[in-house]
Amino acid sequence: LYSDVVLPAATWYEKHDVSSTDLHPFVHPFNAAIPPPWEAKSDWDAFNRIARSFSELARERLGTRTDIVAGSLLHDTPDELAQPFGEVRDWRAGECDPVPGRTMPKLVAVERDFGAVAEKMTALGPLVEKLGVGAKGVTFVPDEEVQRLGAANGIVPSGAGAGRPALERDVHVVETILALSGTTNGRLAVESFRNLEGRVGKPLAQIPAARAEERLTLAEITIQPRKVIASAEWSGLESHERRYSPFTQNVDHLIPWRTLTGRQQLYVDHQWMLEYGEALPAYRPPVDSGQLEGLGGSPEVGPGREVTVRYLTPHSKWSIHSEFQDNLHMLTLFRGGPAMWISLEDAAAIDVADNDWLEVYNKHGVVACRAVVSHRVPSGAALFYHSQDRHVNVPLSEVSGTRGGTDNSLTRITMKPTHLVGGYAQFSWGFNYYGACGPQRDQLIIIRKRAGKVAYR
């Protein structure tokens, strides 16, 4: 909506890709049924084209420079012990000395060769087999895999990536991901548990031993989705007899949880958690952030009656991986457009029947959608499954006069201070796990029945 340039992107059916996330027992491929039409490009092709143009411009203008980067205090490393007892002291206020990696972020010197960005993007980096790869403090060295990738993908002949396995095409990237993960490479799965054995003090390599010889490739997962392999990268167990479930490694094999106590932990004695009253899990009402200030019509009986409820946006039921909804098969499974789920009590209060059109709004935005009246929704709350496409059966809004919005139209991203805790056991930063994130779902909304005719232009 706010972009200066929009690139034509290939869809999932026009490129090669791979999908697998935690709690998913299979790894799925995406294969191009047709080439990307007209000027559309896959993500990998688009980013590489940008990188090549950037590198040409940057080679003379920026060259090679060294930046000092502020690095986070990381989970699963000694950084977790940076703030013992959860006491936070501010060096700027003279409470302690500024010590990188202890009382402030790490300061890391990073050399950047801006003219070689494109060459480095299309080659597997040299530290893969030198430092190893892994996750959650578990490391394994994929030296055999790097050799095989060089044979399968080809070797980069010259430039910054000379002699390294190529990542020129999207299929090269997919093969590399599959080769370097213990969930799709049985040898690395065994190695990951061997690494963990020294920390746990008991044998663990037998967990994935039955699948030690398996190496999943793009060709194999194209034939049919393949089950992932139990790996120390995750917390679940996966086998031919068992479906993946989280933390089963911790329960069945007594592997400590990655917390301060090594157990499932509810009480947190960090200074900030104590100050905010969140040392234990606690209910919090919606934050009064002014999202309804100056809004709302008459509460009397009539077409303008409104109800104020809490706003929830769960993962979609009728889409592909919670995102892809405008597929014809997905649209025929439910209402074929955006729908807000409300309770019987709230629907009755505003004279709304199932499938009536609604106007839903707050100070952040507006949604025009149909009502799904259900006894399964509690009074005082409304559900709007996320990623409902704005271009599918979305009329103009009576409130704004513009096209009704998506689930994010009613939200605003705010920062929660307790998410900024760092250097304290499991509250140290981890990509996609813990760190500053936006709790944008803490919202109140106003719902009313649409009064006029539904119009699309």
Side-chain angles (χ1 to χ4, degrees):
L1 295 179
Y2 302 104
S3 300
D4 294 314
V5 176
V6 178
L7 301 179
T11 71
W12 287 359
Y13 308 112
E14 298 161 357
K15 62 183 178 181
H16 293 89
D17 209 336
V18 65
S19 173
S20 183
T21 61
D22 47 340
L23 303 184
H24 287 203
F26 295 93
V27 56
H28 302 264
F30 300 107
N31 288 280
I34 60 170
W38 197 37
E39 294 183 329
K41 299 286 184 294
S42 70
D43 311 64
W44 189 249
D45 286 343
F47 287 135
N48 276 315
R49 284 177 175 236
I50 293 172
R52 286 195 291 270
S53 296
F54 172 83
S55 297
E56 291 175 6
L57 296 171
R59 186 169 289 110
E60 295 182 2
R61 293 168 174 81
L62 297 176
T64 300
R65 304 187 181 193
T66 299
D67 291 341
I68 303 299
V69 179
S72 302
L73 303 181
L74 298 174
H75 192 11
D76 298 310
T77 73
D79 297 345
E80 292 184 344
L81 306 178
Q83 294 183 349
F85 308 109
E87 297 175 356
V88 182
R89 293 180 293 166
D90 190 347
W91 61 268
R92 293 170 300 178
E95 298 174 359
C96 61
D97 294 328
V99 181
R102 301 289 295 179
T103 61
M104 63 181 294
K106 295 174 292 186
L107 298 180
V108 183
V110 179
E111 182 182 278
R112 305 187 191 278
D113 185 350
F114 289 99
V117 170
E119 294 176 353
K120 291 185 177 182
M121 271 193 69
T122 53
L124 185 63
L127 297 182
V128 170
E129 64 267 44
K130 292 181 181 179
L131 298 182
V133 297
K136 300 180 180 178
V138 177
T139 304
F140 39 85
V141 179
D143 45 3
E144 297 179 16
E145 286 69 26
V146 171
Q147 293 182 10
R148 282 200 294 270
L149 285 171
N153 295 356
I155 298 295
V156 177
S158 60
R164 302 296 299 167
L167 300 177
E168 189 69 33
R169 299 168 53 216
D170 51 8
V171 292
H172 295 159
V173 182
V174 172
E175 295 288 12
T176 302
I177 292 171
L178 295 174
L180 299 185
S181 172
T183 62
T184 49
N185 183 327
R187 188 188 81 84
L188 295 184
V190 172
E191 290 300 316
S192 71
F193 278 108
R194 283 205 179 115
N195 177 281
L196 195 57
E197 286 177 343
R199 293 158 54 188
V200 176
K202 59 176 299 187
L204 299 171
Q206 77 280 1
I207 295 175
R211 302 185 66 185
E213 301 302 320
E214 291 191 37
R215 309 287 187 273
L216 299 185
T217 64
L218 178 59
E220 288 184 359
I221 64 174
T222 297
I223 296 172
Q224 69 181 90
R226 303 291 186 177
K227 292 183 67 174
V228 297
I229 304 168
S231 174
E233 298 162 84
W234 300 112
S235 64
L237 296 175
E238 178 73 31
S239 68
H240 293 298
E241 295 79 28
R242 185 170 196 167
R243 173 62 70 239
Y244 184 98
S245 184
F247 308 120
T248 44
Q249 292 183 18
N250 309 90
V251 174
D252 290 11
H253 295 277
L254 303 181
I255 298 173
W257 269 265
R258 297 158 53 240
T259 64
L260 180 65
T261 63
R263 303 181 179 186
Q264 291 187 1
Q265 184 175 336
L266 297 179
Y267 179 71
V268 180
D269 59 352
H270 189 277
Q271 174 184 331
W272 292 1
M273 296 291 189
L274 294 168
E275 289 180 2
Y276 277 89
E278 297 197 358
L280 286 169
Y283 167 78
R284 290 287 184 266
V287 175
D288 183 7
S289 59
Q291 64 262 56
L292 302 182
E293 184 178 344
L295 301 177
S298 170
E300 288 83 19
V301 175
R305 284 189 305 180
E306 298 171 336
V307 62
T308 298
V309 300
R310 298 193 67 170
Y311 182 49
L312 305 175
T313 57
H315 277 315
S316 175
K317 289 185 176 185
W318 299 279
S319 62
I320 302 172
H321 198 240
S322 305
E323 292 293 331
F324 217 37
Q325 287 200 345
D326 60 354
N327 174 283
L328 181 61
H329 295 293
M330 297 294 107
L331 294 174
T332 56
L333 291 177
F334 195 54
R335 304 289 174 95
M340 182 82 67
W341 289 61
I342 62 177
S343 67
L344 299 174
E345 297 83 358
D346 292 328
I350 55 176
D351 193 28
V352 163
D354 188 75
N355 220 42
D356 281 348
W357 283 96
L358 300 176
E359 291 280 316
V360 186
Y361 65 103
N362 60 17
K363 201 168 185 179
H364 306 319
V366 62
V367 164
C369 61
R370 292 185 181 273
V372 179
V373 181
S374 173
H375 67 280
R376 293 179 288 174
V377 180
S379 176
L383 281 70
F384 193 66
Y385 288 105
H386 76 190
S387 298
Q388 300 196 29
D389 295 283
R390 195 177 188 180
H391 61 278
V392 179
N393 198 22
V394 179
L396 299 175
S397 165
E398 291 180 327
V399 172
S400 65
T402 60
R403 185 84 47 200
T406 66
D407 59 301
N408 283 324
S409 299
L410 302 171
T411 66
R412 183 187 68 176
I413 294 178
T414 55
M415 303 302 293
K416 187 175 181 181
T418 54
H419 287 172
L420 300 174
V421 173
Y424 190 62
Q426 68 267 28
F427 292 96
S428 304
W429 190 83
F431 177 70
N432 203 34
Y433 282 94
Y434 186 81
C437 61
Q440 69 270 36
R441 304 306 180 197
D442 192 19
Q443 298 293 338
L444 295 171
I445 58 173
I446 299 172
I447 304 177
R448 73 181 186 187
K449 185 177 181 178
R450 188 181 183 106
K453 183 179 178 181
V454 175
Y456 290 88
R457 63 179 182 175

